[in-house]
Every structure is written in C-alpha cells, then in structure tokens.
Amino acid sequence: EAEVAQSPRYKITEKSQAVAFWCDPISGHATLYWYRQILGQGPELLVQFQDESVVDDSQLPKDRFSAERLKGVDSTLKIQPAELGDSAMYLCASSSGTNSPLHFGNGTRLTVT
Amino acid sequence: KNEVEQSPQNLTAQEGEFITINCSYSVGISALHWLQQHPGGGIVSLFMLSSGKKKHGRLIATINIQEKHSSLHITASHPRDSAVYICAVRYRDSNYQLIWGAGTKLIIKP
C-alpha cells in the first residue's frame, strides 16, 4: 500500500538554527497537510495545501515557519529560527480530496536544545 | 461553535471486553473520521463516515446524524488495541477544516 514519506525521522537542533522537514504524499493526492503534535496533545494543523496552493495557514507562525509545495507534489516545512517550544512531532498527511480519508506519514520528531 | 467531544478520556479494560468510545459534535458535518495513534507512533485512519455504519475486522464505527453522535466499537479487545483513538470532524461551515477531539486513551490489560 502506498505511503506518505517523511524525512528525517528524527532531528535534533539548537535553538536559533534553521531546520527543514520534507514530505512526499501518496501519488495523486491533491490535498496535503502539515500538523504539529506536542507530546500528550492532539495534532494542530499548521498548513493545508490544495495542489500547490495554500488553503489554510491560519495557525502557522509565519514569523518563523514557512511551507511550500512548489509543483503540487512534495512539500517542505521550514523553521527559522527554531525555538525550544518548537520541540514536537511534525506530521504530514495527504488525501485525494477534502472529504477523503487522511493518510499520515510516520512524522519527524524535532528536539530543540 | 464547532466542537468535538469524546468520552471517555481514558478507558482501561480487560482483554476480550467489548469497547465503546463516543464522539459528539455540533451543527452540520460533511464527514467524521476515527483515527488511531499508538504510543510514539504515527496516526492511522480507521474510518471515515458520513452516515450509517462501517466495519473493519473487530472495529465497528457508527454515526447517528440526527443525534450528532458517533461511536467506535472494538469487539474481543486485545492488548494490541491499546492506543489513543481520536474522533475528527469536518464541518461544512468551517471551510472544511478538520476539527479534532481530545482523544480517548485505551489500555487493554491481558
């Protein structure tokens, strides 16, 4: 079964450094989501793409976070500069439409020291 | 206000017991999702419902549109079912955003 690929699996970085995460959704899935999940809490949507367009980034801290999906396929989420409070699991999910099941990647666990 | 409420927050049961997790929501939805997350693991989509009932193995999900309520049932529960189960709802009037419940932490003891 096709999967959503994310890398790296783990990332440790010092505060004030830049960090980037990559996601490759299931082929043909037009909708891509980036979620942040702090330990013990539910996922928080950071950004939602429909093809290459951002349809919801209302919860994205735009002073330090950026996301792109240039060709409407894979996507990159960047944090610059990283802060201690950014330590969390960053999850990517994709779906074939806004009313279709979500498929999640294994996530990137970020630790900021 | 578009919210999703799950109950119970925590549930511990013995292996073999029948498990029910509940989810209540408000106003009109386009779809309801049940998802599973094992400790330290990724999230797996179990069901997406807009009406009726779906079954997959020992898992059954039902939704009652009139009562704005959904249930996730696990028959013949097993320790490997121990996980957090999350209900998430897509509301029609929220630009189709997915609103997540707080999750139900299930522990099945052998």
Side-chain angles (χ1 to χ4, degrees):
Chain A
E1 182 177 318
E3 295 181 346
V4 175
Q6 284 190 251
S7 67
R9 186 76 175 89
Y10 301 94
K11 180 69 179 179
I12 300 174
T13 190
E14 294 182 348
K15 63 180 181 179
S16 80
Q17 296 298 304
V19 63
F21 315 128
W22 177 79
C23 172
D24 191 11
I26 292 174
S27 178
H29 279 193
T31 310
L32 185 147
Y33 310 80
W34 281 104
Y35 285 93
R36 176 172 62 184
Q37 186 175 28
I38 295 170
L39 193 64
Q41 299 182 18
E44 171 195 20
L45 178 68
L46 294 175
V47 62
Q48 177 181 342
F49 289 92
Q50 185 67 25
D51 298 309
E52 67 275 10
S53 300
V54 173
V55 297
D56 186 353
D57 63 356
S58 55
Q59 300 302 312
L60 188 71
K62 298 180 186 63
D63 57 334
R64 298 185 300 108
F65 286 64
S66 64
E68 59 182 18
R69 193 185 183 196
L70 292 176
K71 296 183 179 179
V73 182
D74 58 338
S75 176
T76 303
L77 178 70
K78 296 179 181 178
I79 308 175
Q80 182 174 17
E83 296 180 354
L84 296 176
D86 297 330
S87 295
M89 176 75 86
Y90 289 82
L91 294 162
C92 178
S94 72
S95 68
S96 56
T98 52
N99 249 0
S100 301
L102 272 68
H103 299 262
F104 282 83
N106 288 325
T108 295
R109 182 166 295 283
L110 172 67
T111 302
V112 182
T113 62
Chain B
K1 182 178 179 183
N2 295 337
E3 292 182 336
V4 179
E5 293 186 2
Q6 279 188 245
S7 63
Q9 186 175 357
N10 294 282
L11 178 58
T12 300
Q14 290 297 130
E15 182 174 357
E17 287 189 37
F18 181 81
I19 302 299
T20 296
I21 299 170
N22 298 297
C23 176
S24 296
Y25 53 89
S26 58
V27 295
I29 66 169
S30 60
L32 181 144
H33 298 253
W34 282 103
L35 307 107
Q36 178 195 58
Q37 186 171 31
H38 281 102
I43 297 175
V44 174
S45 180
L46 298 175
F47 297 103
M48 189 186 74
L49 297 166
S50 55
S51 64
K53 174 181 175 179
K54 288 190 176 180
K55 184 176 187 294
H56 181 71
R58 295 180 294 105
L59 301 177
I60 303 166
T62 63
I63 187 168
N64 185 317
I65 299 298
Q66 286 72 31
E67 295 185 4
K68 299 183 181 62
H69 180 268
S70 175
S71 293
L72 176 69
H73 304 287
I74 305 175
T75 61
S77 60
H78 190 276
R80 64 175 175 265
D81 297 326
S82 298
V84 175
Y85 292 84
I86 308 169
C87 171
V89 167
R90 203 177 292 281
Y91 286 100
R92 293 194 195 93
D93 65 351
S94 294
N95 197 26
Y96 291 91
Q97 286 183 12
L98 202 60
I99 309 298
W100 296 72
T104 295
K105 184 176 181 180
L106 174 66
I107 297 173
I108 303 296
K109 293 184 174 181

